[in-house]
């Protein structure tokens, strides 16, 4: 990718993929930027501008081929690269993610989980084996892992993240509500803050005159 793509555009790419996939599933073959914009609450020019960051996909007078554009965006997102992931912390949240989040549909193979709870170690959750966290370093030496999903207690967040990085993991999906302070070049942290999202929602429903579309 030659030119730098803004974070805002990157954040919209999964939305494009999701909407196009939904259209494909119900048999829609093509769609205009105007029609796509209406269902996504975006302008047609915004969609064309976003997609132009990655190439030319539409045809004037025809619009976009839904299946083709969906596949192109999937490739841009790296969904076809066979990424692997492990979950650190198989408690309530970790278990919920393992059992309910469709990692495979998003291009990730969930290959293992780690925990300190002796009642969990040696079992499997939805077919995912649970190992003792003490075996993490050894596991990373033998297995290529792209992403570590952090659902450990807050006190364990930073040291666990560092162990992952030391083991060659380049992506951290952080659910711990702890700012990890990672400064390692090449390591990407995606923080998920449930409380922040809920409080933002609280503000918006308490102040309905505020514009939340941007």
């Amino acid at each position: 990718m030659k030119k730098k793509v803004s974070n805002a555009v990157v954040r919209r790419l999964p939305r494009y993929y999701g909407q196009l996939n939904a259209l494909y599933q119900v048999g829609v073959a093509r769609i205009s930027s105007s029609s796509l914009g209406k269902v996504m609450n975006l302008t047609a020019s915004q969609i064309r501008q976003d997609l132009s960051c990655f190439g030319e996909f539409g045809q004037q007078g025809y619009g976009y081929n839904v299946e083709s554009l969906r596949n192109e965006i999937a490739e841009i997102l790296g969904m076809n690269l066979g990424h692997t992931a492990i979950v650190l912390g198989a408690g309530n949240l970790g278990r919920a993610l393992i059992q309910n989040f469709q990692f495979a549909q998003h291009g990730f193979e969930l290959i293992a989980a780690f925990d300190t709870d002796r009642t969990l170690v040696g079992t499997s959750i939805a077919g995912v084996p649970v190992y003792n966290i003490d075996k993490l370093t050894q596991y990373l030496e033998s297995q290529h892992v792209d992403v570590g999903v952090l659902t450990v207690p807050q006190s364990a967040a930073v040291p666990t993240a560092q162990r992952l990085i030391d083991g060659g993991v380049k992506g951290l999906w952080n659910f711990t509500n702890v700012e990890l302070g990672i400064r390692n070049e090449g390591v990407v942290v995606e923080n998920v803050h449930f409380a922040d999202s809920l409080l933002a929602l609280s503000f918006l429903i308490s102040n309905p005159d505020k514009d939340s579309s941007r």
Side-chain angles (χ1 to χ4, degrees):
M1 197 178 301
K2 293 184 178 180
K3 60 181 178 179
K4 184 175 178 62
V5 179
S6 73
N7 185 61
V9 174
V10 173
R11 298 291 170 183
R12 283 192 288 271
L13 283 177
R15 291 184 59 202
Y16 289 133
Y17 176 81
Q19 187 62 58
L20 290 164
N21 188 53
L23 291 168
Y24 173 74
Q25 296 298 330
V26 296
V28 177
R30 66 186 178 102
I31 191 169
S32 67
S33 56
S34 177
S35 296
L36 184 59
K38 286 179 181 178
V39 296
M40 295 185 65
N41 196 29
L42 295 171
T43 65
S45 61
Q46 180 70 75
I47 290 174
R48 291 193 295 268
Q49 182 178 334
D50 286 352
L51 296 179
S52 70
C53 295
F54 307 97
E56 298 296 329
F57 302 108
Q59 299 177 23
Q60 190 168 4
Y62 176 86
Y64 299 109
N65 179 290
V66 169
E67 181 181 11
S68 176
L69 183 56
R70 180 199 66 163
N71 293 343
E72 291 280 2
I73 292 177
E75 185 172 349
I76 292 167
L77 288 169
M79 295 174 65
N80 60 344
L81 296 179
H83 293 311
T84 56
I86 59 175
V87 170
L88 290 306
N92 292 336
L93 178 55
R95 179 183 291 272
L97 286 171
I98 294 169
Q99 292 178 326
N100 299 293
F101 185 76
Q102 300 299 315
F103 284 88
Q105 290 185 16
H106 296 82
F108 285 83
E109 181 185 4
L110 184 58
I111 57 176
F114 292 83
D115 204 281
T116 60
D117 188 340
R118 293 180 180 179
T119 64
L120 292 175
V121 172
T123 67
S124 64
I125 301 172
V128 177
V130 181
Y131 301 108
N132 193 306
I133 194 71
D134 291 341
K135 303 294 184 182
L136 177 59
T137 298
Q138 180 182 344
Y139 186 88
L140 293 175
E141 290 174 350
S142 62
Q143 301 287 335
H144 174 77
V145 176
D146 294 295
V147 168
V149 183
L150 286 170
T151 58
V152 294
Q154 292 185 346
S155 60
V158 172
T160 303
Q162 192 58 57
R163 290 179 68 187
L164 289 167
I165 294 168
D166 292 342
V169 176
K170 298 300 184 184
L172 303 178
W173 200 18
N174 178 26
F175 288 84
T176 67
N177 284 322
V178 172
E179 296 299 331
L180 300 175
I182 301 300
R183 296 292 183 268
N184 298 59
E185 186 174 351
V187 175
V188 180
V189 179
E190 180 70 15
N191 295 303
V192 181
H193 294 297
F194 291 127
D196 290 3
S197 181
L198 183 60
L199 290 173
L201 181 61
S202 175
F203 171 81
L204 293 170
I205 62 176
S206 302
N207 299 271
D209 58 320
K210 302 297 182 183
D211 180 10
S212 61
S213 62
R214 293 180 181 270

